Amino acid sequence: MEALLDKTANQPAATVEAPPALFNFAAYLFRLNETRAAKTAYIDDTGSATYGELEERARRFASALRTLGVHPEERVLLVMLDTVALPVAFLGALYAGVVPVVANTLLTPADYVYMLTHSHARAVIASGALLQNVTQALESAEHDGCQLIVSQPCEGEPLLAPLLEELIDAAAPATKAAATGCDDIAFWLYSSGSTGKPKGTVHTHANLYWTAELYAKPILGITESDVVFSAAKLFFAYGLGNGLTFPLSVGATAILMAERPTADAIFTRLVKHRPTVFYGVPTLYANMLVSPNLPARADVAIRICTSAGEALPREIGERFTAHFGCEILDGIGSTEMLHIFLSNRAGAVEYGTTGRPVPGYEVELRDDAGNAVADGEVGDLYIKGPSAAVMYWNNREKTRATFLGEWIRSGDKYCRLANGCYVYAGRSDDMLKVSGQYVSPVEVEMVLVQHDAVLEAAVVGVDHGGLVKTRAFVVLKREFAASEILADELKAFVKDRLAPHKYPRDIVFVDDLPKTATGKIQRFKLREQS
């Protein structure tokens, strides 16, 4: 095996063995866990599965796919809730050389029509609770005999298609994995759509391996003794690593939750299953802290948490650590890089920053001309690392704009502090120019959420007589009421802490903010409302 040497500035040297040229990620996991057949791999809402059961059912599904006439490199769309059936289907497809396309479960039939058509899926597996939207999509989509398979049908519903569980039970376990290479296409994830239409992001078998080796093991310190729980769902790149790649790479146990990740639903699992590693997003952490049902420190067993999707406000991180006694490692990843490449470190967390580059990844900040920017200046974030996607499927224009040789242009704005930590400044297309000077919406939002009344905030630019002014959409904590007096107080609060041109000229109080299923604020929807 080749060794990957860390070339990132200000990082300790690290050597990680690269996977061999002939590499199937599912087969690799099964070999790793040969001695753990009796250990619990997953606990979901209805039961559990051991490592031995997970492997057997995944290999049976690989055989079932071949029986159904789905060939290597063809796509299977997975519209599935977070239950054990999803890892079984995902790993079984990888084992067979078939390409699983993991889809957001919160989409409309029109969205699934797009994905079915775009991916040319040969089959779609849908959880019973999601079946209505999927069947509507199949009726509308132009497809060449895409087969419907139902997993865990709702009680009392008529059976409209073969059952995944019956297909698995009837198949013999595949005896041999597809002879895939580390650079062969393994799976797709659709981008979250925070800036518009989702893109089919294509990843290889080796990319899964690299995220575990470079982030999960050295940064999280995840081991076989951990129990992990991700509020982020498996269809999200962040959630796929959290709930599948990372625990299965070390023999840990993962908790899966099919329902929406509300604060109360999270608390139930934290207390009942006592996970040691918890993965969340800033909005969820904020809602947990203001909930009257927040568990006491003694009722949970968390040793470390992570956050991604949006920048974690300093105040949220500090309050969470004060309450639970564990740190939140804020980081940034992307669908294109598969998981986190900039992160805080345990014992050296600097809340308000995204930390430093994960060893094995290189990061650069560049100006509009492609030149490096100095510390303290805002620049466009570029990343280089071995988990980078291959392309956007059937989208040459976007592929060429994002995948630049070894580098990926993230679309994010950052500045680097003198100590080497990176501070998020927002999406490149969200930056505002007010009174001739750039304003980062995130900077204003981070100040607003420091106010006692504010739970969440999002800032956009609006046209005021041909000039751009800032407008803040604010979600208040439940004990506060919207008023003009409070709006003026929030404006003054920002004025006291930032340059005068940055304060929001308008404050709009809302019940919630539009977000993707991964927790990213959809500022383009707020701009459309303005």
Side-chain angles (χ1 to χ4, degrees), residues 21 23 42 210 279 331 363 403:
F23 184 74
Y42 281 106
W210 283 120
Y279 310 92
V363 170
F403 299 89

Side-chain angles (χ1 to χ4, degrees), residues 202-218:
V202 178
H203 280 283
T204 69
H205 282 266
N207 288 359
L208 293 158
Y209 168 89
W210 283 120
T211 59
E213 294 299 316
L214 297 180
Y215 176 77
K217 295 178 183 179

Side-chain angles (χ1 to χ4, degrees), residues 267 288 290-294 478:
F267 297 155
M288 289 168 66
V290 298
S291 170
N293 300 321
L294 184 68
R478 63 184 68 184

Side-chain angles (χ1 to χ4, degrees), residues 212-413:
E213 294 299 316
L214 297 180
Y215 176 77
K217 295 178 183 179
I219 304 299
L220 297 181
I222 189 170
T223 69
E224 182 179 10
S225 63
D226 278 309
V227 176
V228 308
F229 175 39
S230 177
K233 300 298 185 180
L234 290 168
F235 63 74
F236 178 21
Y238 177 49
L240 185 67
N242 299 342
L244 191 150
T245 312
F246 299 170
L248 300 188
S249 291
V250 298
T253 297
I255 311 300
L256 296 178
M257 181 177 72
E259 66 182 289
R260 193 167 63 89
T262 62
D264 284 345
I266 298 301
F267 297 155
T268 297
R269 276 77 180 179
L270 291 180
V271 173
K272 180 179 179 180
H273 299 298
R274 297 181 65 81
T276 54
V277 181
F278 175 67
Y279 310 92
V281 296
T283 298
L284 177 59
Y285 287 119
N287 287 327
M288 289 168 66
L289 287 170
V290 298
S291 170
N293 300 321
L294 184 68
R297 181 187 299 193
D299 293 333
V300 303
I302 314 168
R303 67 168 182 83
I304 200 164
C305 297
T306 69
S307 182
E310 288 278 344
L312 179 73
R314 178 192 301 273
E315 185 253 356
I316 298 297
E318 291 174 346
R319 285 176 56 205
F320 191 92
T321 297
H323 181 82
F324 285 113
C326 65
E327 296 173 315
I328 301 175
L329 306 187
D330 190 24
I332 184 174
S334 67
T335 307
E336 293 78 9
M337 293 305 294
L338 191 54
H339 213 275
I340 290 172
F341 51 82
L342 266 178
S343 178
N344 276 274
R345 307 292 198 277
V349 168
E350 298 199 31
Y351 286 127
T353 81
T354 316
R356 297 173 171 82
V358 171
Y361 293 90
E362 295 183 54
V363 170
E364 289 185 1
L365 298 182
R366 304 176 187 174
D367 61 20
D368 292 341
N371 302 312
V373 302
D375 285 353
E377 295 182 8
V378 173
D380 291 302
L381 180 69
Y382 289 72
I383 318 104
K384 179 167 68 172
S387 64
V390 177
M391 61 179 165
Y392 298 130
W393 186 264
N394 198 22
N395 195 333
R396 180 173 292 197
E397 180 183 359
K398 291 288 187 181
T399 296
R400 285 178 167 177
T402 301
F403 299 89
L404 309 174
E406 293 184 290
W407 292 90
I408 282 183
R409 178 171 22 212
S410 73
D412 295 296
K413 293 279 190 181

Side-chain angles (χ1 to χ4, degrees), residues 11 39 46 49 58 82 118 183 209 258 322 359 422 425 454 524:
Q11 297 295 330
K39 187 185 178 192
T46 61
D82 277 21
H118 181 253
D183 290 335
Y209 168 89
Y422 287 73
V454 177
F524 72 94

